[in-house]
Amino acid sequence: MQQTNNTHRKVELNRSDILAATNLGLWMILMDEKSNLYEMYADETMYRVMEAAPSLSPEECYEHWFSRINPNYITYVNRAVSSMVTSGKVVQLHYLWTHPTLGNVQVRCVGVRREDKDGMICLEGYHRMINSLDHQHNLVQMHADEEDRSVELENLRIRDFYRASLSDSIAYAELDMESDQIQNTGGIWADCEQDFDGKVENFLQYLIDRQHEYTSHKYNEKRLICADTKELRAMMESGKQTQRFIYKCLVDNEWRWVELVIHTFRDQIFQNLYALLYLKDVDSQKKHELAQQEAAETDPLTKVYNRKTFEREVRLFLKDETHSGQGSLILLDIDDFKSINDNFGHLTGDAALKQVAYGLESVFYKKGIIGRFGGDEFLVFVRDETEKEKIEAYMNKLFSVLEKNKTTPIQYSAGIIHVSADNFIYTEALRLADEALYTSKKKGKNQFTWSE
């Protein structure tokens, strides 16, 4: 109806037609948790979208909806409903629902608590089946301006990058952090779905359990830090949306080097938090890298650290605030090594040096940094240990191991000094350890002396 002068038009919107055209179903749920009574009332669009018979009673209608929520999302939906009830705020949720004929479909739902009716809690909202709308053949995408077009092109670029990133992966997983559920898995992880039970935390624990125990210790790699969803959320909130971890894990019953990429993001519409994880086999590249690193950092004969690398590792340890900042430095050499070379030959001498390195690694396993100082001299730094009794127990064990060498029994002399990060001077500590070693030689060899 046209009005005078202002040309305002009085129009009536047909809400039913709009809702039907967009597959937006309206619903109301009445609930009495004490009596365990739940009722759902729906409009025509909602009945059609759910493919439910209008003749269903309110209790049957509720059961038709609730019983078809994907089992992995039950906890998530219940939490969302509880939030509607307790907060009184509008709550949005996104979950999978088993349609009677279409199977699993994605659903977006918005609900809010209204005034109680007949003593029952009242929730109202709308339900939209994403697949039903977004996959319509007659759905036309409109662009208001070039900015909208650039957004679509950016989304296409991201999807192409997503596919390219996964193209050479051996496994991938999509995690819904709002529901703490796994949305999708592929590659070798798809074969282990029964171990996850659809839960994100089970999946993260699975990754940690299959990381080689000594990866981070021996190769200075980062261990997985995301042991649960809280750590994943903290990772994103700290601004570190993407993390990479290189470690050894079992692939087809073989320990192989892999790279795990964890990327977290929020969807632009509902701000829900998601994580994409994918695994790449980098075994050949990593082995090549380690071979180059080993050549640069280790003694070629004994395969322990060379002198320069040993010093660097000791300094790095003492600077690391996660440790005690102290330890014990040991300098030792083989007694009468020249006579071994003269009497048995240089090959036997080389074998003796290798045997000392092997003995040091077996005695100070995981506890010590081991290096070859030069000639027949070796260095050990025992991390976090300054108690004389414990160090002396290590030294006596080393005596026993070397004296049992089948080819040539080996004896050694050593000097030991406690060191601390406070006022640490490497060359001074080495000088004092060398003086203590010289004292052991003067006392008759085959013993160790503490620097005071």
Side-chain angles (χ1 to χ4, degrees):
M1 178 182 295
Q2 188 170 5
Q3 297 181 342
T4 59
N5 297 328
N6 293 331
T7 66
H8 289 301
R9 298 181 185 276
K10 189 174 183 179
V11 297
E12 218 175 275
L13 296 176
N14 191 325
R15 296 179 182 176
S16 298
D17 288 347
I18 296 172
L19 296 178
T22 57
N23 285 327
L24 202 65
L26 301 181
W27 53 264
M28 178 176 70
I29 293 176
L30 298 180
M31 48 196 298
D32 184 349
E33 295 177 332
K34 291 183 179 179
S35 63
N36 204 29
L37 177 63
Y38 299 90
E39 299 177 345
M40 173 179 273
Y41 299 86
D43 67 354
E44 291 182 6
T45 303
M46 183 69 175
Y47 273 111
R48 176 172 56 78
V49 169
M50 293 196 304
E51 211 167 276
S55 60
L56 292 177
S57 68
E59 293 91 341
E60 292 170 333
C61 183
Y62 177 87
E63 181 62 24
H64 178 87
W65 165 71
F66 188 80
S67 65
R68 294 179 180 277
I69 298 171
N70 185 289
N72 290 334
Y73 285 81
I74 290 291
T75 301
Y76 167 57
V77 173
N78 282 335
R79 194 166 64 234
V81 170
S82 177
S83 180
M84 291 180 205
V85 172
T86 57
S87 71
K89 297 180 180 179
V90 176
V91 176
Q92 300 178 103
L93 57 156
H94 180 185
Y95 60 94
L96 291 181
W97 191 75
T98 306
H99 191 275
T101 57
L102 300 178
N104 274 343
V105 295
Q106 296 182 59
V107 168
R108 279 182 183 151
C109 181
V110 174
V112 65
R113 181 173 182 175
R114 294 300 190 191
E115 185 178 348
D116 294 357
K117 297 180 184 296
D118 300 326
M120 299 177 71
I121 295 172
C122 177
L123 305 177
E124 293 180 353
Y126 73 76
H127 166 113
R128 183 167 84 87
M129 201 164 68
I130 299 172
N131 308 62
S132 173
L133 178 63
D134 294 349
H135 298 163
Q136 281 185 15
H137 296 297
N138 61 348
L139 181 67
V140 179
Q141 296 286 354
M142 299 297 293
H143 304 283
D145 50 34
E146 189 59 32
E147 182 180 353
D148 285 344
R149 178 61 179 164
S150 67
V151 170
E152 181 183 357
L153 290 174
E154 177 65 9
N155 288 336
L156 287 172
R157 186 190 67 79
I158 292 172
R159 285 197 293 272
D160 288 342
F161 175 75
Y162 175 90
R163 283 191 285 266
S165 297
L166 298 183
S167 63
D168 60 346
S169 65
I170 59 175
Y172 66 88
E174 299 171 71
L175 312 180
D176 183 342
M177 306 304 297
E178 300 303 324
S179 63
D180 293 338
Q181 300 295 326
I182 302 171
Q183 284 194 322
N184 191 22
T185 58
I188 61 174
W189 291 340
D191 299 330
C192 308
E193 286 183 339
Q194 68 278 2
D195 297 330
F196 313 147
D197 192 28
K199 306 294 184 184
V200 170
E201 292 208 4
N202 292 349
F203 173 68
L204 295 176
Q205 189 60 49
Y206 167 88
L207 295 182
I208 292 172
D209 290 344
R210 279 153 183 77
Q211 181 181 10
H212 196 288
E213 181 181 358
Y214 306 121
T215 298
S216 63
H217 163 70
K218 188 171 182 180
Y219 300 103
N220 298 315
E221 300 290 349
K222 292 185 294 184
R223 291 191 68 81
L224 300 183
I225 62 169
C226 299
D228 54 39
T229 54
K230 290 181 180 178
E231 291 186 65
L232 271 181
R233 291 176 186 276
M235 185 176 80
M236 181 172 185
E237 290 169 359
S238 68
K240 298 177 182 178
Q241 286 186 275
T242 302
Q243 289 263 10
R244 297 174 183 272
F245 303 89
I246 295 179
Y247 59 97
K248 273 188 172 182
C249 81
L250 277 176
V251 179
D252 296 329
N253 295 319
E254 177 186 357
W255 287 107
R256 297 183 66 81
W257 286 100
V258 297
E259 180 184 47
L260 172 68
V261 181
I262 302 177
H263 181 68
T264 57
F265 60 95
R266 292 188 184 276
D267 76 77
Q268 295 182 357
I269 299 176
F270 294 109
Q271 292 297 298
N272 289 337
L273 179 60
Y274 297 91
L276 170 66
L277 289 77
Y278 55 95
L279 198 68
K280 293 186 176 183
D281 188 325
V282 295
D283 194 65
S284 59
Q285 304 97 296
K286 186 63 180 177
K287 285 179 178 176
H288 178 69
E289 177 188 321
L290 289 174
Q292 291 182 317
Q293 180 180 335
E294 182 176 300
E297 296 184 347
T298 62
D299 172 60
L301 177 65
T302 61
K303 304 304 180 185
V304 297
Y305 283 138
N306 57 31
R307 180 174 179 172
K308 181 178 179 181
T309 307
F310 176 86
E311 179 180 347
R312 182 198 69 193
E313 291 299 307
V314 172
R315 291 183 182 278
L316 287 174
F317 174 83
L318 292 175
K319 289 180 180 178
D320 189 346
E321 294 181 355
T322 63
H323 293 282
S324 66
Q326 57 183 344
S328 296
L329 179 66
I330 305 168
L331 175 63
L332 64 89
D333 77 356
I334 301 174
D335 291 335
D336 303 316
F337 181 68
K338 185 177 182 300
S339 65
I340 295 177
N341 281 331
D342 292 343
N343 296 327
F344 301 100
H346 288 283
L347 290 179
T348 302
D350 287 349
L353 293 172
K354 291 179 182 178
Q355 190 62 33
V356 171
Y358 175 79
L360 290 171
E361 288 188 321
S362 64
V363 170
F364 295 98
Y365 173 66
K366 290 181 67 175
K367 189 70 176 175
I369 300 171
I370 301 167
R372 184 181 177 190
F373 189 66
D376 62 334
E377 291 183 308
F378 290 83
L379 290 160
V380 181
F381 180 80
V382 189
R383 305 182 188 93
D384 297 317
E385 191 59 74
T386 58
E387 289 186 24
K388 282 190 175 182
E389 290 184 0
K390 291 184 178 181
I391 296 296
E392 290 176 1
Y394 285 130
M395 302 303 286
N396 290 327
K397 184 177 180 181
L398 182 62
F399 278 126
S400 177
V401 168
L402 296 181
E403 286 176 349
K404 292 177 182 178
N405 184 32
K406 294 180 180 179
T407 305
T408 306
I410 300 171
Q411 295 181 341
Y412 73 89
S413 299
I416 312 170
I417 182 173
H418 294 320
V419 297
S420 170
D422 298 333
N423 302 318
F424 174 71
I425 301 174
Y426 181 78
T427 53
E428 179 64 11
L430 201 59
R431 184 186 69 79
L432 293 172
D434 187 51
E435 286 183 358
L437 167 62
Y438 183 69
T439 300
S440 296
K441 293 287 189 182
K442 288 199 302 181
K443 289 181 178 178
K445 305 179 182 178
N446 196 30
Q447 58 188 287
F448 56 86
T449 303
W450 287 93
S451 172
E452 301 300 335

